[in-house]
Amino acid sequence: MTVLADSQAGGAQAAGARTAAHARLMAEHSAHNYHPLPVVIAGGQGAWVTDVEGRRYLDFLAGYSALNFGHRHPALTAAAHRQLDRVTLTSRAFGNDQLGPFCTELAALVGKQMVLPMNTGAEAVESGLKVARKWGYDVKGVPADRARVVVAAEAFHGRTISVVSFSTDPEARGGFGPFTPGFDVVPYGDAPALRAAITPETVAVLLEPIQGEAGVIVPPAGYLAEVREICTASNALYVSDEVQAGLGRTGHVLATRAAGVDADVYLLGKALGGGIMPVSAVVADADVLGVLKPGQHGSTFGGNPLACAVGRAVVELLEEGSLLEHTRAMGEILHEGLRELVGHGATAVRGTGLWAGVDVDPAIGTGREICERLARGVDAAVGVLAKDTHGPTVRLSPPLVITEAEIRAGLAALRTALR
Ligand SMILES: *Cc1c(COP(=O)(O)O)cnc(C)c1O
């Protein structure tokens, strides 16, 4: 394992000339919709990245789970290379020889009948909402334009106008109205509140099985089963946004299923593109996805052969199972180490699998400050990349291919950063 010596680490106070030059370009010409840590990445392999100064870091964010298989997983880059040399884009005006196999294989992995391929996570959410509304009118018999969807407070489902319309984050909504109507927000994890919000016009309940951006919030035991029961009793679709939770992050293909519950509609994204390109999907049975008829929904890039070839390789990696087993084992080690930090710079830790939220003691610093310390690697053996969320929380989501030694190195760095 390469270690980052103190002399190399530099840190924000001497970020390095190349890093500073890139920061200037981004400041002048890249929209300021993010506030990145002062690290400019130039290469990646597995759980490691290298920045423009030649410093190496352990990647404990993994693209918010888009890089579940690590950087440039050989099976995934090989699938992409093979497809690059055949055909990359056809549009849906024609078929392509990757689309049918991809949808068949992904549907089988998820245990549903059909797949609607899209590109980004937000598009999967938008598409899921459109399918739910259409199903509500065509199948449930809700009067035209009356459909309602129940969602959770503190949720994150993406950045489009309709999706931020039901966000409870003032930053995500402020200045973007007027908003799309038809959403009812209830507290996450509160089954009685959800039950009370259901009306005859409710067509769907949209929830993350674990709230990622909110700080890796795991709902109370039994909550998802109650959601299922409420949806079934009220003839509403249970739409599970597994864009971040799904495809291995928790050590399972689906976090909802791991809780012993089956939703009607699964929304997938992030890791489905293997860290190579945006690939997302709505996955459901034919009685739900079958409501879409030609011309009613679409995407120029959705289901393109390159995306499908990469997606097929992702499905194959998950289907094989050993990576999920590895994730569960590594998750145990991660959480065991994190629990020891409570009372030593952390006030609480949460999560499951290779996914954790660490609440930083405000006396030690903010989540952002801890992430800056982790990246600098000062006084620690290794620089670690992680990202704060909602002020005090540091979110950890290392690639599933991470080794025990790498997890222990990350834990040691976190222990130091929290001192
Ligand atoms: C990231 C995320 C999205 C949005 O995905 P994008 O690809 O950024 O549009 C939607 N839902 C959840 C739960 C996410 O974590």
Side-chain angles (χ1 to χ4, degrees):
M1 181 184 312
T2 303
V3 295
L4 197 71
D6 289 357
S7 58
Q8 289 176 276
Q13 65 276 19
R18 292 194 179 98
T19 303
H22 280 282
R24 268 197 305 279
L25 294 181
M26 290 187 285
E28 281 174 34
H29 300 293
S30 169
H32 297 182
N33 56 325
Y34 282 91
H35 179 39
L37 292 166
V39 175
V40 179
I41 294 168
Q45 182 65 60
W48 293 86
V49 295
T50 308
D51 76 3
V52 288
E53 315 288 347
R55 292 188 214 118
R56 296 184 79 219
Y57 306 83
L58 260 176
D59 184 356
F60 262 61
L61 182 63
Y64 302 94
S65 287
L67 287 153
N68 272 5
F69 310 98
H71 295 268
R72 300 191 301 120
H73 188 290
L76 302 181
T77 54
H81 280 296
R82 275 197 305 276
Q83 194 59 38
L84 278 171
D85 290 335
R86 293 179 65 236
V87 66
T88 53
L89 190 70
T90 57
S91 86
R92 295 291 304 275
F94 318 103
N96 73 68
D97 69 0
Q98 297 300 304
L99 179 62
F102 168 62
C103 292
T104 305
E105 290 155 17
L106 180 59
L109 181 76
V110 170
K112 297 286 186 193
Q113 293 167 335
M114 293 181 103
V115 170
L116 168 63
M118 299 297 289
N119 309 284
T120 65
E123 279 181 309
V125 176
E126 285 277 346
S127 304
L129 291 171
K130 285 177 75 175
V131 167
R133 283 181 169 187
K134 192 94 175 43
W135 175 89
Y137 302 127
D138 293 1
V139 179
K140 181 167 176 173
V142 171
D145 297 338
R146 302 285 303 174
R148 305 200 65 80
V149 175
V150 181
V151 297
E154 315 299 328
F156 183 84
H157 298 287
R159 298 294 194 168
T160 61
I161 296 260
S162 286
V163 170
V164 300
S165 292
F166 55 86
S167 172
T168 54
D169 177 357
E171 294 263 76
R173 285 169 59 88
F176 299 120
F179 297 115
T180 306
F183 298 99
D184 299 301
V185 184
V186 297
Y188 186 68
D190 183 342
L194 172 60
R195 201 182 297 273
I198 302 280
T199 74
E201 293 167 351
T202 302
V203 297
V205 174
L206 168 66
L207 292 174
E208 297 160 88
I210 291 172
Q211 289 192 321
E213 299 303 305
V216 193
I217 308 296
V218 182
Y223 175 64
L224 300 185
E226 279 193 88
V227 172
R228 172 71 274 175
E229 186 264 309
I230 292 165
C231 287
T232 302
S234 58
N235 192 26
L237 296 176
Y238 180 0
V239 181
S240 188
D241 182 347
E242 296 240 13
V243 168
Q244 192 167 161
L247 306 181
R249 178 52 51 197
T250 66
H252 302 273
V253 171
L254 297 167
T256 314
R257 285 272 172 69
V261 172
D262 189 21
D264 299 301
V265 179
Y266 290 102
L267 310 178
L268 301 174
K270 290 198 168 98
L272 190 55
I276 296 175
M277 58 195 303
V279 183
S280 70
V282 180
V283 187
D285 278 338
D287 59 347
V288 176
L289 264 181
V291 298
L292 291 181
K293 300 290 185 289
Q296 294 177 345
H297 189 58
S299 164
T300 303
F301 287 92
N304 74 73
L306 184 56
C308 290
V310 171
R312 292 181 71 188
V314 165
V315 170
E316 199 178 324
L317 281 179
L318 289 168
E319 201 152 50
E320 190 270 325
S322 64
L323 192 60
L324 296 172
E325 201 178 305
H326 175 76
T327 301
R328 295 193 292 272
M330 293 301 106
E332 294 287 323
I333 294 165
L334 176 68
H335 287 282
E336 195 182 292
L338 290 177
R339 278 192 292 272
E340 290 170 8
L341 298 176
V342 177
H344 298 90
T347 56
V349 297
R350 293 174 297 279
T352 182
L354 281 172
W355 206 14
V358 178
D359 291 343
V360 177
D361 184 342
I364 304 287
T366 62
R368 170 89 189 183
E369 284 163 348
I370 297 307
C371 290
E372 286 170 353
R373 282 181 214 168
L374 280 170
R376 285 204 294 273
V378 177
D379 298 332
V382 65
V384 172
L385 299 184
K387 189 71 178 78
D388 54 298
T389 181
H390 286 240
T393 305
V394 174
R395 173 239 316 268
L396 304 175
S397 53
L400 314 184
V401 295
I402 198 162
T403 65
E404 179 173 345
E406 289 164 344
I407 287 184
R408 295 203 186 281
L411 284 167
L414 188 57
R415 204 174 300 125
T416 305
L418 286 170
R419 268 213 287 269

